[in-house]
Amino acid sequence: MKRLLIVDDSKLMRDMVAACLRPLGEVAFEFAATGLEAIERLALAGFDLVILDINMPDVGGLEVIEFVRAQDRLRTLPIVVVTTRGDDASRARVIDAGASGFLAKPFAPAEILEAVRRFLPGKQPTA
Amino acid sequence: MSERVDLQEFVGAFVAEAEELAAAANLSLLEIEVANTEGTTRPRIVRDLFRALHTIKGLAGMMGVEPIVEIAHALETLIRSADRAGGLLSPKAVEIALQGIGEISERVQAVAERRQVAGIPVQLIATIASIDAEPAATRLIKKIPSGWEGRLTVGELQQLDHAHDTAIPVWAVTFMPSASNVTRGITIASVRRDLAAIGELVRVFPRALAGPGDATGVAFDMLLISKASRDVIAATAATELVDIVAVVAHSAAAVAEIAASGAPDAPGAPDRDDHVTAIGRAVVRVDLSRLDELQEQLSLLIVSRFRLEHEIAAIAKLGHDVRRLREIAQLQGRQLRDLRRAILRARMVRVADVLEPLNLLVRGLARSTRRPVQLVLEAGDTELDKAVADRLLPALIHLVRNAVDHAIEAPEERAAAGKPTTGTVRVSCVAVAANHIELVVRDDGQGIDRDAIARRAKRPIASDAELLEVLTRPGFSTREVATTTSGRGLGMDIVQRVAVAELGGELALQTTLGAGTAFTLRVPITIAVMDVFSFQCGAQCFVVPASLVEEIFEVSAETVSVGPSPPRPGAGASTNSAVSLFEHRGQAIPLLSLGALLEIDSGARARKALVIRRNGQPMAFSVDRMIGRQEVVVRSIDDPLVTVPGITGTTDLGDGRPTLMLDLNELASVYRDRVAS
């Protein structure tokens, strides 16, 4: 079963993201409330995809991406960034740092579903 | 599987979280305001505030509430620049931010009530955009721990600066996560939380570890400002990698000493209880409607228990031995009480939290009336049912608003009277016997001018109780009075209605001209289950809250003298007159016939009388027959379309038929109005 890590400091937002991804069917969701927790989880366990908020206390999403991309084991891990800052500069910064996908909040359930399908290994986006 | 996902299922959770975040934002702003008056900054608080706004914005966006997104975005921009300026936020910025949060809360409320959400407050957003957070403070950062240069924000540097000024040690702590730590529940989240409980955690940085084959590959470097000893910090962070990196002390020996044992006046390890609350608290947020559901199930259980008792009594009447059945029923009764208590505990909220909004209220009122007023809240650890709290708060808001608007004098006037120029409104809460709490709203203002009120009311007023009776009369004009010197009466009928009719509590008043006024509300901590007296009147059963009934008397012909017949519409030659006098302990008490009042007179001779105290005066109601005293679940009648004067709710005594709960105070008013008309 695919393992997805959803990182957001708002539990409600994590729940909403998981709800949006329900149509994926057989996947296991795990959650982290801060960038620090996310880094710890990623260092200790294997995941198939990360959905990452940018603005979080202490360690933000960008630092999580930097950490992930600096580790050999995690270099190809798909990271879909979900952020309230949807402007082009933010998008460029996030993609530069090494994110695989970028989605601005608010997003429609179908949008995040499609983004995750595109990057989840072994799954092809439905037409 | 359906591809359609509807986020509307999250509306309730959104409202709860947005309310919580808005309340937290308000608190942060108030704290920043205090810091402003002290000439200090609170970088941490500014960051919390930023996060709260950011989260509100993101969530509101997901729910499609555009006006909230816009307001939160404008505020977020303002606060971000404050954060960059090291946590400085000008008083004007605080003011406008509070206003913005207010606008957000209002719209969250609209979402909660499924009302139309007000649009984008364009003017406010323009104002927010037009103010600048203050320029950065130019303070000299005295010492940056080596290895951390260039990695800290202005706000964080100021935290270190402050530690330097107050001679609190700064520690570098490194935590290495591992699978074995995780199985013991030690994660970066737990370490972070525990360290924050024994000091001020300035910053955490992840560090990728080099070296092939290293499974963990990460270390967390943390900067902690703490007076705790090295050992305590090491144990808390589950690491040996703890070093003092900055401290102001007079000698190297002192540094060594502090490093070994903590600062001289260090609190050392937090005491056990603190620690347990800090790390052992597991909180689940539950939608109130789920607790209501639980309560509803419990009430059905209580009703079926009544039925069981009825049946046992019926079997006993047939001459069967029901001792074993009774024992089981009693055991079940105790278990039900325990269950009820457990559910009640889950519904309890801290009175201190309930009173919190009053801070903002008083602050705003002090500003608009230009009178310096301070609010003192003394709630301790008292708790009450959320449902009671929700009803009580509007009444308290009325009382506090009245106190500031009308009771507290202008500063010059206060100075002339030898009082401190700043007025004080004190709201205190204590638990009193039998599941009740007592809330007192006390001001040190001008007091209520009894004579002035008496002139308005065109009747003499001899006591505070009579004064309260006049003030709480629905017809008593508030407009006339509130603007004259006596200055009170605004919405007092509502306060009375909440405290007495809805909650089955008491309201009392104590005032001294020139010195101040105190309103005391004594209310039960829960209203879901009530202790009542049940009785029969005509062919019907009714209940009244037991807490309101002072005494129950036998009524005999000798003690009752028949009074004037009430003007009843459509009544022919009267059967029982509705009012008479009843002699008890040498005192003549008005005795109202409940049957006549409710126009369900059976013609039967009333045999019992319930005595209540109305505004300090005893008053009796005659009923045909007492049934008993029991705990019942009361459903209040909240629908404005079915409000009947004198009836506050319904209950089920176990016979499956709805039984009405009466408000005897209001029935007395109904009678008085009838006589008056």
Side-chain angles (χ1 to χ4, degrees):
Chain A
M1 195 187 288
K2 302 281 183 200
R3 289 176 81 187
L4 266 67
L5 180 65
I6 299 176
V7 190
D8 200 304
D9 56 331
S10 161
K11 176 177 184 305
L12 178 53
M13 189 60 85
R14 297 195 296 273
D15 289 348
M16 283 203 250
V17 168
C20 291
L21 298 178
R22 259 182 236 146
L24 288 176
E26 294 266 293
V27 289
F29 294 115
E30 295 193 26
F31 302 94
T34 67
L36 291 171
E37 276 175 59
I39 287 174
E40 184 178 53
R41 304 290 281 281
L42 290 167
L44 298 178
F47 288 92
D48 296 295
L49 186 140
V50 183
I51 293 164
L52 184 66
D53 183 22
I54 287 298
N55 204 310
M56 290 179 290
D58 286 338
V59 167
L62 284 175
E63 286 158 285
V64 175
I65 301 175
E66 272 167 34
F67 169 83
V68 166
R69 295 306 180 222
Q71 306 259 314
D72 277 344
R73 184 170 66 83
L74 300 174
R75 222 171 282 280
T76 57
L77 174 69
I79 302 176
V80 176
V81 163
V82 169
T83 174
T84 330
R85 304 181 68 176
D87 55 292
D88 287 346
S90 302
R91 175 187 295 263
R93 204 161 44 235
V94 165
I95 298 295
D96 271 359
S100 322
F102 179 94
L103 211 58
K105 287 183 206 167
F107 48 81
E111 288 178 70
I112 190 164
L113 191 59
E114 196 210 309
V116 168
R117 282 208 173 119
R118 181 161 357 119
F119 295 107
L120 200 58
K123 292 226 180 188
Q124 292 305 309
T126 48
Chain B
M1 185 172 300
S2 164
E3 289 281 296
R4 273 191 59 86
V5 175
D6 187 358
L7 294 180
Q8 287 311 304
E9 66 177 282
F10 291 99
V11 167
F14 165 71
V15 168
E17 185 151 335
E19 274 175 357
E20 205 165 283
L21 289 165
N26 273 331
L27 268 185
S28 298
L29 283 164
L30 293 181
E31 204 158 320
I32 292 166
E33 186 167 66
V34 171
N36 276 340
T37 62
E38 289 169 353
T40 57
T41 56
R42 300 269 198 283
R44 206 6 106 180
I45 302 288
V46 171
R47 235 171 296 150
D48 288 348
L49 177 59
F50 176 77
R51 292 234 39 78
L53 287 165
H54 187 79
T55 306
I56 289 177
K57 176 173 120 180
L59 294 176
M62 292 304 293
M63 303 311 296
V65 195
E66 217 42 52
I68 296 182
V69 176
E70 290 295 325
I71 305 168
H73 177 73
L75 289 174
E76 188 194 70
T77 310
L78 173 71
I79 305 302
R80 184 187 297 126
S81 57
D83 183 31
R84 291 196 178 136
L88 269 181
L89 200 60
S90 70
K92 197 175 154 217
V94 171
E95 185 60 38
I96 201 78
L98 279 170
Q99 217 177 319
I101 305 283
E103 294 284 333
I104 290 176
S105 300
E106 204 180 288
R107 285 164 177 78
V108 171
Q109 208 50 47
V111 173
E113 292 163 12
R114 292 173 201 280
R115 279 189 281 119
Q116 175 80 36
V117 176
I120 299 168
V122 182
Q123 188 59 47
L124 177 72
I125 286 180
T127 315
I128 296 173
S130 72
I131 36 177
D132 292 318
E134 303 283 270
T138 46
R139 286 192 68 190
L140 183 69
I141 305 304
K142 284 153 190 133
K143 187 171 179 196
I144 301 171
S146 65
W148 291 81
E149 300 91 346
R151 307 175 74 185
L152 300 172
T153 67
V154 179
E156 288 160 351
L157 290 171
Q158 285 192 343
Q159 275 176 285
L160 294 179
D161 226 19
H162 187 71
H164 184 275
D165 290 348
T166 49
I168 303 174
V170 179
W171 305 82
V173 183
T174 300
F175 169 72
M176 315 262 283
S178 68
S180 71
N181 271 337
V182 170
T183 57
R184 286 184 293 147
I186 301 170
T187 63
I188 181 61
S190 74
V191 166
R192 195 179 169 284
R193 185 186 56 207
D194 296 349
L195 283 178
I198 61 165
E200 198 179 336
L201 195 55
V202 181
R203 193 66 201 261
V204 188
F205 278 114
R207 173 160 50 98
L209 295 178
D214 192 335
T216 66
V218 66
F220 294 102
D221 295 325
M222 295 170 270
L223 267 190
L224 175 76
I225 300 172
S226 175
K227 289 180 174 181
S229 71
R230 188 191 176 284
D231 288 348
V232 169
I233 296 173
T236 307
T239 178
E240 277 308 308
L241 302 168
V242 177
D243 280 307
I244 257 196
V245 289
V247 68
V248 174
H250 298 294
S251 67
V255 175
E257 193 184 311
I258 290 168
S261 65
D265 58 341
D271 69 41
R272 216 186 128 67
D273 277 355
D274 276 1
H275 202 58
V276 168
T277 7
I279 67 171
R281 190 196 277 164
V283 178
V284 180
R285 197 162 56 197
V286 181
D287 197 326
L288 192 62
S289 67
R290 291 195 189 173
L291 286 176
D292 286 342
E293 219 172 275
L294 200 57
Q295 185 87 48
E296 185 66 29
Q297 293 301 321
L298 172 72
S299 62
L300 295 176
L301 206 55
I302 290 179
V303 169
S304 62
R305 191 186 126 70
F306 288 153
R307 289 215 187 121
L308 185 65
E309 278 184 355
H310 278 286
E311 287 307 315
I312 293 176
I315 297 172
K317 258 190 193 150
L318 297 175
H320 294 289
D321 180 4
V322 293
R323 263 176 306 173
R324 291 299 307 266
L325 275 179
R326 281 236 158 89
E327 271 169 30
I328 296 172
Q330 272 164 11
L331 175 67
Q332 198 195 35
R334 278 196 298 278
Q335 289 163 339
L336 268 175
R337 264 198 303 282
D338 290 346
L339 180 61
R340 199 193 101 203
R341 265 190 225 117
I343 293 177
L344 177 60
R345 267 203 301 278
R347 300 176 56 93
M348 295 295 247
V349 290
R350 281 166 48 84
V351 176
D353 294 340
V354 176
L355 299 180
E356 188 54 51
L358 296 177
N359 277 315
L360 272 183
L361 173 75
V362 169
R363 198 182 161 284
L365 288 172
R367 199 164 288 245
S368 62
T369 57
R370 295 178 196 287
R371 285 176 194 174
V373 180
Q374 59 162 343
L375 177 71
V376 181
L377 298 178
E378 299 167 329
D381 284 330
T382 48
E383 293 185 325
L384 85 173
D385 186 338
K386 177 88 169 82
V388 177
D390 287 348
R391 279 160 194 252
L392 207 50
L393 188 61
L396 292 172
I397 287 176
H398 266 296
L399 290 174
V400 170
R401 188 191 295 274
N402 277 353
V404 179
D405 272 355
H406 305 305
I408 303 289
E409 313 89 331
E412 317 80 66
E413 218 175 301
R414 292 182 61 89
K419 293 181 179 180
T421 50
T422 299
T424 301
V425 178
R426 192 177 292 272
V427 182
S428 52
C429 177
V430 288
V432 290
N435 291 332
H436 279 63
I437 57 163
E438 201 169 88
L439 280 145
V440 183
V441 178
R442 183 187 302 276
D443 65 65
D444 66 347
Q446 58 192 346
I448 302 175
D449 187 344
R450 207 189 271 170
D451 294 339
I453 302 277
R455 281 195 298 278
R456 288 272 165 210
K458 298 187 174 64
R459 57 164 274 193
I461 295 174
S463 65
D464 283 346
E466 285 182 30
L467 179 61
L468 182 65
E469 203 259 336
V470 171
L471 291 177
T472 54
R473 215 184 271 172
F476 194 65
S477 170
T478 59
R479 245 164 293 127
E480 287 171 316
V481 177
T483 50
T484 61
T485 50
S486 51
R488 207 165 294 242
L490 184 72
M492 284 305 299
D493 57 322
I494 296 169
V495 175
Q496 163 96 2
R497 190 177 161 79
V498 168
V500 181
E502 290 184 11
L503 299 176
E506 291 164 37
L507 176 68
L509 161 70
Q510 194 259 316
T511 185
T512 310
L513 201 56
T517 303
F519 284 95
T520 303
L521 292 103
R522 192 187 167 102
V523 296
I525 57 174
T526 184
I527 47 167
V529 177
M530 232 183 224
D531 188 16
V532 299
F533 282 117
S534 51
F535 52 85
Q536 209 167 4
C537 203
Q540 287 193 46
C541 278
F542 298 96
V543 297
V544 292
S547 59
L548 292 184
V549 177
E550 276 202 347
E551 282 176 276
I552 298 171
F553 293 119
E554 201 79 31
V555 179
S556 60
E558 305 87 72
T559 50
V560 177
S561 57
V562 176
S565 186
R568 267 199 297 150
S574 175
T575 44
N576 272 357
S577 68
V579 74
S580 43
L581 284 177
F582 171 68
E583 199 190 315
H584 175 59
R585 293 183 187 158
Q587 197 185 0
I589 301 175
L591 176 69
L592 301 182
S593 159
L594 203 55
L597 279 179
L598 298 170
E599 297 173 24
I600 50 166
D601 219 342
S602 62
R605 188 83 218 152
R607 280 182 297 184
K608 295 274 183 182
L610 305 172
V611 179
I612 64 161
R613 202 162 276 274
R614 182 177 150 77
N615 303 311
Q617 295 301 312
M619 180 174 255
F621 291 83
S622 63
V623 304
D624 294 354
R625 191 170 72 86
M626 291 304 296
I627 297 172
R629 180 175 185 157
Q630 62 200 104
E631 284 184 332
V632 296
V633 178
V634 179
R635 284 175 196 77
S636 59
I637 302 178
D638 286 334
D639 187 342
L641 294 177
V642 294
T643 307
V644 180
I647 293 171
T648 49
T650 65
T651 186
D652 186 335
L653 293 176
D655 53 7
R657 287 183 306 172
T659 301
L660 296 175
M661 179 153 98
L662 302 178
D663 174 1
L664 296 180
N665 262 304
E666 193 163 302
L667 281 173
S669 306
V670 169
Y671 167 73
R672 196 196 50 214
D673 294 347
R674 255 194 232 162
V675 172
S677 63

